[in-house]
Protein backbone atom coordinates (compact mmCIF):
# COMPACT_ATOMS: atom_id res chain seq x y z
CA UNK A 1 0.00 0.00 0.00
CA UNK A 2 1.26 3.47 -0.92
CA UNK A 3 2.03 6.07 1.74
CA UNK A 4 -0.66 8.66 2.58
CA UNK A 5 -0.72 11.59 0.16
CA UNK A 6 -0.57 15.27 1.11
CA UNK A 7 -1.25 18.14 -1.26
CA UNK A 8 -3.92 19.31 -3.69
CA UNK A 9 -5.79 17.58 -6.48
CA UNK A 10 -7.70 20.09 -8.59
CA UNK A 11 -10.89 18.37 -9.74
CA UNK A 12 -12.84 19.57 -12.76
CA UNK A 13 -16.19 18.92 -11.13
CA UNK A 14 -18.92 17.90 -13.56
CA UNK A 15 -22.39 19.38 -13.52
CA UNK A 16 -24.75 17.35 -11.37
CA UNK A 17 -22.18 16.33 -8.75
CA UNK A 18 -22.10 17.95 -5.32
CA UNK A 19 -18.82 19.02 -3.72
CA UNK A 20 -19.15 16.37 -1.01
CA UNK A 21 -19.73 13.77 -3.72
CA UNK A 22 -16.52 14.96 -5.36
CA UNK A 23 -14.64 14.34 -2.12
CA UNK A 24 -16.20 10.87 -1.84
CA UNK A 25 -15.23 10.08 -5.44
CA UNK A 26 -11.59 10.99 -4.77
CA UNK A 27 -11.62 8.87 -1.60
CA UNK A 28 -12.94 5.96 -3.64
CA UNK A 29 -10.19 6.36 -6.26
CA UNK A 30 -7.55 6.36 -3.52
CA UNK A 31 -9.02 3.30 -1.84
CA UNK A 32 -9.45 1.30 -5.04
CA UNK A 33 -5.87 1.96 -6.11
CA UNK A 34 -4.12 0.92 -2.93
CA UNK A 35 -3.35 4.27 -1.34
CA UNK A 36 -3.16 4.46 2.43
CA UNK A 37 -6.17 5.94 4.20
CA UNK A 38 -5.95 9.68 3.65
CA UNK A 39 -7.95 12.58 5.02
CA UNK A 40 -9.72 14.35 2.15
CA UNK A 41 -11.64 17.65 2.04
CA UNK A 42 -12.57 20.35 -0.44
CA UNK A 43 -11.63 24.00 -0.62
CA UNK A 44 -14.98 25.67 -1.26
CA UNK A 45 -18.44 24.39 -2.12
CA UNK A 46 -19.47 24.36 -5.77
CA UNK A 47 -23.21 23.94 -6.41
CA UNK A 48 -24.30 20.68 -8.09
CA UNK A 49 -25.56 22.66 -11.12
CA UNK A 50 -22.15 24.34 -11.46
CA UNK A 51 -19.01 22.84 -12.93
CA UNK A 52 -15.31 23.56 -12.84
CA UNK A 53 -12.48 24.07 -10.40
CA UNK A 54 -12.95 22.23 -7.09
CA UNK A 55 -9.72 22.10 -5.03
CA UNK A 56 -9.49 18.76 -3.23
CA UNK A 57 -7.18 18.80 -0.21
CA UNK A 58 -5.38 15.60 0.80
CA UNK A 59 -3.62 14.84 4.07
CA UNK A 60 -1.90 17.85 5.62
CA UNK A 61 -3.40 20.16 2.99
CA UNK A 62 -6.82 19.67 4.62
CA UNK A 63 -5.55 21.98 7.35
CA UNK A 64 -5.61 24.77 4.76
CA UNK A 65 -8.95 23.95 3.12
CA UNK A 66 -10.74 26.56 5.21
CA UNK A 67 -8.49 29.28 3.79
CA UNK A 68 -9.91 28.57 0.33
CA UNK A 69 -13.31 29.74 1.57
CA UNK A 70 -11.89 33.25 1.97
CA UNK A 71 -10.24 33.36 -1.45
CA UNK A 72 -11.40 35.16 -4.57
CA UNK A 73 -13.05 33.15 -7.35
CA UNK A 74 -13.52 33.63 -11.09
CA UNK A 75 -16.67 32.35 -12.81
CA UNK A 76 -18.00 32.19 -16.34
CA UNK A 77 -21.79 32.21 -16.39
CA UNK A 78 -24.62 32.49 -18.89
CA UNK A 79 -27.69 34.61 -18.17
CA UNK A 80 -30.84 33.79 -20.09
CA UNK A 81 -33.13 36.82 -20.32
CA UNK A 82 -36.91 36.82 -20.15
CA UNK A 83 -37.53 34.30 -17.36
CA UNK A 84 -36.71 34.36 -13.66
CA UNK A 85 -36.95 31.18 -11.59
CA UNK A 86 -37.34 30.91 -7.84
CA UNK A 87 -33.90 29.30 -7.57
CA UNK A 88 -32.36 31.79 -10.06
CA UNK A 89 -31.03 28.84 -12.07
CA UNK A 90 -32.49 26.09 -14.26
CA UNK A 91 -33.65 23.95 -11.34
CA UNK A 92 -36.66 25.96 -10.16
CA UNK A 93 -40.00 26.92 -11.72
CA UNK A 94 -40.46 30.22 -13.56
CA UNK A 95 -41.87 32.95 -11.30
CA UNK A 96 -41.56 36.00 -13.58
CA UNK A 97 -41.35 36.69 -17.31
CA UNK A 98 -40.53 39.65 -19.53
CA UNK A 99 -40.61 40.33 -23.26
CA UNK A 100 -37.69 42.75 -22.96
CA UNK A 101 -34.41 41.59 -24.50
CA UNK A 102 -31.33 43.78 -24.18
CA UNK A 103 -28.68 44.36 -26.81
CA UNK A 104 -25.09 43.40 -26.21
CA UNK A 105 -24.18 47.10 -26.06
CA UNK A 106 -26.77 47.62 -23.31
CA UNK A 107 -25.34 44.68 -21.35
CA UNK A 108 -21.82 46.07 -21.66
CA UNK A 109 -23.02 49.52 -20.58
CA UNK A 110 -24.65 48.27 -17.38
CA UNK A 111 -21.76 46.10 -16.15
CA UNK A 112 -19.79 48.98 -14.53
CA UNK A 113 -22.71 49.45 -12.13
CA UNK A 114 -21.96 45.97 -10.77
CA UNK A 115 -18.18 46.34 -10.57
CA UNK A 116 -16.42 47.21 -7.32
CA UNK A 117 -17.99 47.06 -3.83
CA UNK A 118 -21.70 46.29 -4.17
CA UNK A 119 -24.59 45.07 -2.01
CA UNK A 120 -26.51 41.99 -3.06
CA UNK A 121 -29.35 39.95 -1.60
CA UNK A 122 -28.47 36.23 -1.59
CA UNK A 123 -30.86 33.78 -3.27
CA UNK A 124 -33.62 32.32 -1.13
CA UNK A 125 -32.29 28.93 -2.23
CA UNK A 126 -28.92 29.21 -0.51
CA UNK A 127 -27.16 27.53 2.39
CA UNK A 128 -27.33 30.64 4.58
CA UNK A 129 -29.07 30.12 7.91
CA UNK A 130 -32.24 31.90 8.99
CA UNK A 131 -33.13 31.37 12.66
CA UNK A 132 -30.93 28.28 12.70
CA UNK A 133 -32.36 26.73 9.54
CA UNK A 134 -30.93 26.63 6.02
CA UNK A 135 -32.63 29.14 3.73
CA UNK A 136 -33.14 26.51 1.02
CA UNK A 137 -34.96 24.22 3.47
CA UNK A 138 -37.36 27.03 4.38
CA UNK A 139 -37.85 27.94 0.71
CA UNK A 140 -38.56 24.33 -0.26
CA UNK A 141 -41.12 24.18 2.55
CA UNK A 142 -42.95 27.06 0.91
CA UNK A 143 -41.97 29.70 3.44
CA UNK A 144 -41.07 33.23 2.42
CA UNK A 145 -37.34 33.75 2.93
CA UNK A 146 -36.16 37.32 3.44
CA UNK A 147 -32.37 37.52 3.46
CA UNK A 148 -30.46 40.69 4.24
CA UNK A 149 -28.27 42.38 1.65
CA UNK A 150 -24.57 41.73 2.09
CA UNK A 151 -21.48 43.59 0.95
CA UNK A 152 -19.33 41.84 -1.66
CA UNK A 153 -16.75 42.97 -4.19
CA UNK A 154 -16.83 42.34 -7.92
CA UNK A 155 -13.25 42.93 -9.01
CA UNK A 156 -13.90 42.59 -12.74
CA UNK A 157 -16.99 41.84 -14.82
CA UNK A 158 -17.02 41.54 -18.61
CA UNK A 159 -18.71 39.85 -21.54
CA UNK A 160 -16.96 36.62 -22.47
CA UNK A 161 -16.08 36.64 -26.18
CA UNK A 162 -15.33 32.93 -26.56
CA UNK A 163 -18.08 30.55 -27.66
CA UNK A 164 -19.93 29.07 -24.70
CA UNK A 165 -23.01 26.88 -25.23
CA UNK A 166 -23.05 27.87 -28.87
CA UNK A 167 -22.65 31.60 -28.20
CA UNK A 168 -20.19 33.78 -30.07
CA UNK A 169 -19.56 37.51 -29.92
CA UNK A 170 -17.24 39.52 -32.12
CA UNK A 171 -14.43 41.51 -30.52
CA UNK A 172 -16.25 44.72 -31.50
CA UNK A 173 -19.45 43.56 -29.80
CA UNK A 174 -17.72 42.54 -26.62
CA UNK A 175 -16.31 46.06 -26.26
CA UNK A 176 -19.81 47.49 -26.59
CA UNK A 177 -19.05 49.15 -29.93
CA UNK A 178 -21.94 50.59 -31.91
CA UNK A 179 -22.21 47.79 -34.49
CA UNK A 180 -25.23 46.00 -35.80
CA UNK A 181 -24.28 42.89 -33.81
CA UNK A 182 -23.94 44.94 -30.63
CA UNK A 183 -27.38 46.55 -31.17
CA UNK A 184 -29.19 43.28 -31.90
CA UNK A 185 -31.40 42.03 -29.09
CA UNK A 186 -30.03 38.90 -27.45
CA UNK A 187 -31.72 36.14 -25.49
CA UNK A 188 -28.67 35.26 -23.42
CA UNK A 189 -25.14 36.41 -22.70
CA UNK A 190 -22.08 34.84 -21.08
CA UNK A 191 -20.08 36.91 -18.62
CA UNK A 192 -16.87 36.41 -16.65
CA UNK A 193 -16.70 37.71 -13.08
CA UNK A 194 -13.79 37.88 -10.64
CA UNK A 195 -15.47 38.06 -7.25
CA UNK A 196 -14.77 38.15 -3.54
CA UNK A 197 -15.85 35.50 -1.07
CA UNK A 198 -19.57 35.45 -0.33
CA UNK A 199 -20.64 36.53 -3.83
CA UNK A 200 -23.65 34.76 -5.30
CA UNK A 201 -23.46 34.59 -9.08
CA UNK A 202 -27.18 33.79 -9.31
CA UNK A 203 -27.98 37.04 -7.48
CA UNK A 204 -25.57 38.95 -9.70
CA UNK A 205 -27.31 37.58 -12.81
CA UNK A 206 -30.74 38.47 -11.41
CA UNK A 207 -29.68 42.02 -10.58
CA UNK A 208 -28.03 42.60 -13.97
CA UNK A 209 -31.22 41.45 -15.71
CA UNK A 210 -33.34 43.75 -13.54
CA UNK A 211 -31.05 46.69 -14.31
CA UNK A 212 -31.65 45.99 -17.99
CA UNK A 213 -35.40 46.22 -17.50
CA UNK A 214 -36.01 42.51 -17.81
CA UNK A 215 -35.55 39.36 -15.75
CA UNK A 216 -33.25 36.38 -16.08
CA UNK A 217 -31.65 33.32 -14.57
CA UNK A 218 -28.37 31.41 -14.79
CA UNK A 219 -28.27 28.52 -17.28
CA UNK A 220 -24.53 27.82 -17.20
CA UNK A 221 -22.01 28.31 -14.40
CA UNK A 222 -18.36 27.33 -14.44
CA UNK A 223 -15.72 28.19 -11.86
CA UNK A 224 -12.51 28.81 -13.76
CA UNK A 225 -10.34 29.86 -10.81
CA UNK A 226 -10.49 29.33 -7.05
CA UNK A 227 -7.83 31.12 -5.05
CA UNK A 228 -4.52 30.23 -6.75
CA UNK A 229 -5.95 27.21 -8.60
CA UNK A 230 -6.86 27.51 -12.30
CA UNK A 231 -8.93 25.38 -14.67
CA UNK A 232 -5.75 24.51 -16.61
CA UNK A 233 -4.65 22.54 -13.54
CA UNK A 234 -7.97 20.71 -13.17
CA UNK A 235 -8.52 17.08 -14.11
CA UNK A 236 -11.78 15.28 -14.77
CA UNK A 237 -12.84 12.43 -12.52
CA UNK A 238 -12.53 9.96 -15.41
CA UNK A 239 -8.96 11.05 -16.12
CA UNK A 240 -8.19 10.93 -12.41
CA UNK A 241 -9.35 7.32 -12.27
CA UNK A 242 -7.26 6.42 -15.33
CA UNK A 243 -4.19 8.13 -13.90
CA UNK A 244 -4.55 6.26 -10.62
CA UNK A 245 -4.63 2.94 -12.49
CA UNK A 246 -1.58 3.89 -14.54
CA UNK A 247 1.31 6.03 -13.36
CA UNK A 248 -0.38 6.93 -10.08
CA UNK A 249 -1.62 10.22 -8.67
CA UNK A 250 1.63 11.58 -7.30
CA UNK A 251 2.48 13.43 -10.54
CA UNK A 252 -0.92 15.15 -10.46
CA UNK A 253 -0.60 16.26 -6.85
CA UNK A 254 0.22 19.91 -6.22
CA UNK A 255 2.24 20.56 -3.05
CA UNK A 256 0.65 21.91 0.11
CA UNK A 257 2.29 25.31 -0.43
CA UNK A 258 0.51 25.68 -3.80
CA UNK A 259 -2.46 26.84 -1.73
CA UNK A 260 -0.28 29.50 -0.10
CA UNK A 261 1.20 31.16 -3.18
CA UNK A 262 0.74 34.65 -1.72
CA UNK A 263 2.43 33.87 1.60
CA UNK A 264 6.22 34.32 2.01
CA UNK A 265 8.43 31.56 3.35
CA UNK A 266 10.10 31.71 6.75
CA UNK A 267 13.18 29.49 6.73
CA UNK A 268 14.00 27.81 10.04
CA UNK A 269 17.03 25.97 11.34
CA UNK A 270 16.71 22.61 13.04
CA UNK A 271 16.49 24.09 16.55
CA UNK A 272 13.81 26.63 15.62
CA UNK A 273 11.84 24.01 13.69
CA UNK A 274 11.82 21.74 16.73
CA UNK A 275 10.57 24.61 18.90
CA UNK A 276 7.80 25.41 16.42
CA UNK A 277 6.71 21.77 16.30
CA UNK A 278 6.35 21.91 20.07
CA UNK A 279 4.10 24.96 19.67
CA UNK A 280 6.59 27.37 21.16
CA UNK A 281 6.81 31.06 20.28
CA UNK A 282 9.83 32.44 18.39
CA UNK A 283 11.02 35.85 19.55
CA UNK A 284 13.16 38.66 18.10
CA UNK A 285 12.12 37.88 14.52
CA UNK A 286 13.39 40.54 12.05
CA UNK A 287 10.63 39.93 9.51
CA UNK A 288 7.68 42.27 8.99
CA UNK A 289 4.42 41.42 10.71
CA UNK A 290 2.17 39.05 8.76
CA UNK A 291 1.51 35.44 7.85
CA UNK A 292 4.41 33.14 6.88
CA UNK A 293 4.94 29.53 5.84
CA UNK A 294 7.68 28.26 8.12
CA UNK A 295 9.90 25.64 6.44
CA UNK A 296 12.87 23.47 7.35
CA UNK A 297 14.65 23.17 4.05
CA UNK A 298 11.86 22.19 1.66
CA UNK A 299 9.59 20.73 4.36
CA UNK A 300 6.59 22.81 5.53
CA UNK A 301 6.61 23.04 9.33
CA UNK A 302 3.82 25.47 10.19
CA UNK A 303 1.76 28.43 9.17
CA UNK A 304 2.92 31.23 11.49
CA UNK A 305 1.81 34.75 12.31
CA UNK A 306 4.52 37.29 13.10
CA UNK A 307 3.45 40.26 15.18
CA UNK A 308 6.02 42.86 16.23
CA UNK A 309 8.87 40.37 16.14
CA UNK A 310 7.03 37.47 17.80
CA UNK A 311 6.08 34.41 15.72
CA UNK A 312 3.21 32.19 16.84
CA UNK A 313 1.97 28.97 15.26
CA UNK A 314 -1.36 29.30 13.46
CA UNK A 315 -1.41 25.77 12.05
CA UNK A 316 1.25 23.08 12.39
CA UNK A 317 2.03 20.46 9.75
CA UNK A 318 3.17 16.91 10.31
CA UNK A 319 5.71 16.13 7.59
CA UNK A 320 8.83 14.00 8.09
CA UNK A 321 12.13 15.79 7.61
CA UNK A 322 14.08 15.08 4.45
CA UNK A 323 17.81 15.18 3.96
CA UNK A 324 18.93 18.52 2.57
Amino acid sequence: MSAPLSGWLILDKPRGMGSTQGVSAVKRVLRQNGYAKTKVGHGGTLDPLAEGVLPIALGEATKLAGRMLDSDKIYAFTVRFGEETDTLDTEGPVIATSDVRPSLAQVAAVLPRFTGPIEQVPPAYSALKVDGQRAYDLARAGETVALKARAVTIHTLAVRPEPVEGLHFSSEAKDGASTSSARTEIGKVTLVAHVSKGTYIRSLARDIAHALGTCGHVTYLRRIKAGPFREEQAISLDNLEQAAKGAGLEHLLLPLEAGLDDIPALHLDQTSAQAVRQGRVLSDMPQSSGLYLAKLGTVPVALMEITEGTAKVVRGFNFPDVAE
Side-chain angles (χ1 to χ4, degrees), residues 22 24 60-61 66 68 94 113 127 131 133 143 145 186 213 249 256 285 302 315:
S24 297
E60 292 298 290
M68 289 296 109
V94 174
R113 291 168 52 182
D131 296 330
Q133 297 188 65
E143 296 189 30
V145 179
I186 55 175
L249 299 179
L256 174 144
M285 305 296 290
R315 178 73 72 176

Side-chain angles (χ1 to χ4, degrees), residues 142-315:
E143 296 189 30
T144 300
V145 179
L147 295 172
K148 295 180 180 179
R150 52 163 54 185
V152 298
T153 300
I154 312 298
H155 300 291
T156 60
L157 178 62
V159 173
R160 177 171 176 166
E162 298 84 5
V164 176
E165 288 195 332
L167 300 179
H168 179 73
F169 304 120
S170 67
S171 58
E172 293 84 3
K174 76 170 179 173
D175 293 329
S178 179
T179 64
S180 58
S181 60
R183 291 194 299 268
T184 302
E185 292 182 352
I186 55 175
K188 57 184 177 180
V189 67
T190 296
L191 307 173
V192 177
H194 176 192
V195 304
S196 70
K197 69 172 183 176
T199 302
Y200 282 91
I201 297 298
R202 288 175 291 150
S203 292
L204 181 61
R206 172 200 63 202
D207 296 343
I208 290 172
H210 287 178
L212 289 164
T214 184
C215 56
H217 66 280
V218 172
T219 61
Y220 168 89
L221 178 59
R222 177 173 178 81
R223 188 157 69 192
I224 56 181
K225 193 169 186 288
F229 302 120
R230 309 177 309 277
E231 65 178 341
E232 294 85 359
Q233 298 169 299
I235 184 170
S236 70
L237 188 57
D238 287 343
N239 288 341
L240 189 69
E241 292 172 343
Q242 290 301 316
K245 293 175 183 177
L249 299 179
E250 287 79 3
H251 70 290
L252 297 175
L253 200 65
L254 299 178
L256 174 144
E257 49 264 47
L260 301 171
D261 68 335
D262 58 338
I263 295 177
L266 175 64
H267 294 286
L268 305 177
D269 58 25
Q270 190 73 48
T271 301
S272 296
Q274 182 63 24
V276 168
R277 284 171 174 149
Q278 293 171 352
R280 288 155 54 191
V281 171
L282 301 182
S283 302
D284 301 321
M285 305 296 290
Q287 290 82 3
S288 303
S289 295
L291 202 60
Y292 290 81
L293 174 62
K295 303 177 75 174
L296 176 61
T298 61
V299 180
V301 176
L303 197 60
M304 302 193 75
E305 182 81 37
I306 296 181
T307 305
E308 298 179 352
T310 299
K312 295 182 179 180
V313 175
V314 175
R315 178 73 72 176

Side-chain angles (χ1 to χ4, degrees), residues 52-75:
V53 174
L54 179 64
I56 302 291
L58 305 181
E60 292 298 290
T62 59
K63 296 176 179 178
L64 300 176
R67 286 181 51 81
M68 289 296 109
L69 302 177
D70 295 331
S71 64
D72 289 351
K73 314 290 192 305
I74 300 179
Y75 294 92

Side-chain angles (χ1 to χ4, degrees), residues 25-86:
V26 171
K27 286 182 177 179
R28 184 184 68 251
V29 170
L30 295 174
R31 185 174 62 252
Q32 291 176 345
N33 290 278
Y35 287 92
K37 187 174 181 181
T38 302
K39 190 173 182 180
V40 183
H42 66 75
T45 300
L46 194 56
D47 289 345
L49 290 181
E51 62 180 58
V53 174
L54 179 64
I56 302 291
L58 305 181
E60 292 298 290
T62 59
K63 296 176 179 178
L64 300 176
R67 286 181 51 81
M68 289 296 109
L69 302 177
D70 295 331
S71 64
D72 289 351
K73 314 290 192 305
I74 300 179
Y75 294 92
F77 61 104
T78 299
V79 187
R80 184 184 299 279
F81 298 115
E83 293 183 339
E84 183 172 317
T85 65
D86 64 352

